C-alpha cells in the first residue's frame, strides 16, 4: 500500500507532528473529467478548432487553464488564450461545474482525518468562486476548515503561490502541513515550501510523475490517505 519515495525523507516525515492537511480538488477529491474536457472542447470548437477526444485531454486536468490552452492552441498570445478561457468558463459556470463526481470514500476519508484531530483545507488552482460551489454541491463544506482557490484573473493559480497564501493566512508552520494531490504541480508547490506531500495515483497524474517530482508518499486509493497520515505522524 505504502511506497516510500526517499527513505531519509520518509524517516523525517515519521517524526513530524502534522496538524493540517491540504487537499487538491480535481483528481484528488473529485473526478472532473467530463466537465473539464467538454468545456475545453466547447472553447476550441467556438474558436474554430477541431477539439481532441476527451481521453486526449486528461493532461489538462490539474494545471492552470492558461497553461493548457497555451499548449492546445500552440500560442503565447494572451488575448487568444483569455478568449479561450472565457469561452470555457461560459459553459463551465452553468453546466461543466456539475459534470463532476466524488471519488469513492472521500467523505469517509475526510471525516476520519478530522476525527483524528487534523485541520483540513482545500488548495486548488481552480477559481475559488467555482471551488466553493463544488464543495457545497457535494455536501463537504463542514468537513473543511477553509477552502482556497485562485482568482479569475489567474492570481494564486500556481500551486506554490496558493500554498504560500494558505500558510500565511492560516498561520501554519510548514513542518506541520501535508499536501495531498494527484499532479506534479501539487508536489512542486509542496516542495517549494518544504512541506510533506502525498501523491495519489487514482487521479490524473501517474505514479512516475509523482515520484519524479519528489512525492514523499504514494496513496493508491482515497482510503490510503488517512492511513498514511496517521501512521506516519508521531502523536
Amino acid at each position: 500500500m505504502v511506497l516510500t519515495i526517499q527513505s531519509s525523507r520518509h524517516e523525517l516525515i515519521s517524526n513530524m507532528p502534522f496538524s493540517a492537511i491540504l487537499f487538491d480538488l480535481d483528481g484528488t477529491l473529485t473526478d472532473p473529467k467530463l466537465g473539464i474536457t467538454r468545456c475545453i472542447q466547447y472553447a476550441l470548437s467556438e474558436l474554430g478548432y477541431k477539439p481532441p477526444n476527451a481521453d486526449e485531454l486528461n493532461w489538462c486536468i490539474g494545471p492552470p487553464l492558461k497553461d493548457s490552452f497555451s499548449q492546445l492552441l500552440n500560442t503565447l498570445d494572451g488575448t487568444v488564450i483569455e478568449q479561450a478561457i472565457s469561452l470555457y468558463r461560459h459553459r463551465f459556470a452553468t453546466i461543466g461545474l456539475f459534470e463532476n463526481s466524488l471519488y469513492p470514500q472521500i467523505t469517509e476519508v475526510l471525516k476520519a482525518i478530522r476525527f483524528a484531530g487534523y485541520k483540513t483545507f482545500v488548495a486548488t488552482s481552480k477559481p475559488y468562486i467555482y471551488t466553493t460551489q463544488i464543495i457545497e454541491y457535494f455536501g463537504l463544506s463542514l468537513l473543511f476548515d477553509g477552502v482556497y482557490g485562485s482568482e479569475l484573473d489567474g492570481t494564486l493559480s500556481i500551486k506554490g503561490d496558493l500554498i504560500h497564501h494558505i500558510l500565511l493566512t492560516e498561520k501554519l508552520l510548514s513542518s506541520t502541513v501535508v499536501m495531498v494531490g494527484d499532479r506534479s504541480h501539487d508536489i512542486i508547490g509542496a516542495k517549494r515550501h518544504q512541506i510533506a506531500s502525498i501523491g495519489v495515483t487514482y487521479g490524473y497524474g501517474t505514479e512516475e510523475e509523482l515520484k519524479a517530482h519528489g512525492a514523499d508518499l504514494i496513496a493508491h486509493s482515497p482510503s490510503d490517505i488517512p492511513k498514511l497520515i496517521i501512521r506516519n505522524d508521531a502523536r
Side-chain angles (χ1 to χ4, degrees), residues 103-215:
Y103 283 113
Q105 303 174 315
I106 286 298
T107 300
E108 291 75 16
V109 163
L110 292 171
K111 286 180 178 179
I113 290 172
R114 289 179 64 81
F115 182 77
Y118 301 92
K119 289 185 175 181
T120 52
F121 301 91
V122 175
T124 175
S125 294
K126 185 182 291 298
Y128 173 80
I129 189 173
Y130 302 140
T131 300
T132 53
Q133 291 181 68
I134 292 170
I135 293 299
E136 290 172 5
Y137 177 72
F138 287 115
L140 301 178
S141 299
L142 296 179
L143 297 178
F144 288 102
D145 294 280
V147 176
Y148 290 87
S150 66
E151 301 296 333
L152 290 173
D153 66 1
T155 302
L156 299 182
S157 62
I158 296 174
K159 192 57 66 80
D161 294 344
L162 181 68
I163 290 174
H164 179 68
H165 174 66
I166 296 172
L167 293 176
L168 290 179
T169 303
E170 299 292 340
K171 298 180 174 58
L172 301 173
L173 295 176
S174 296
S175 60
T176 67
V177 179
V178 183
M179 177 73 217
V180 181
D182 71 313
R183 298 304 306 270
S184 62
H185 305 77
D186 301 304
I187 309 305
I188 292 169
K191 291 179 73 67
R192 175 175 155 186
H193 298 287
Q194 294 80 52
I195 72 175
S197 60
I198 295 176
V200 304
T201 61
Y202 58 82
Y204 289 90
T206 64
E207 184 172 332
E208 290 70 27
E209 173 185 334
L210 296 164
K211 284 183 177 181
H213 288 90

Side-chain angles (χ1 to χ4, degrees), residues 45-58:
S45 294
E46 289 295 303
L47 289 174
Y49 292 83
K50 181 179 179 180
N53 294 326
D55 288 341
E56 297 177 77
L57 294 171
N58 283 352

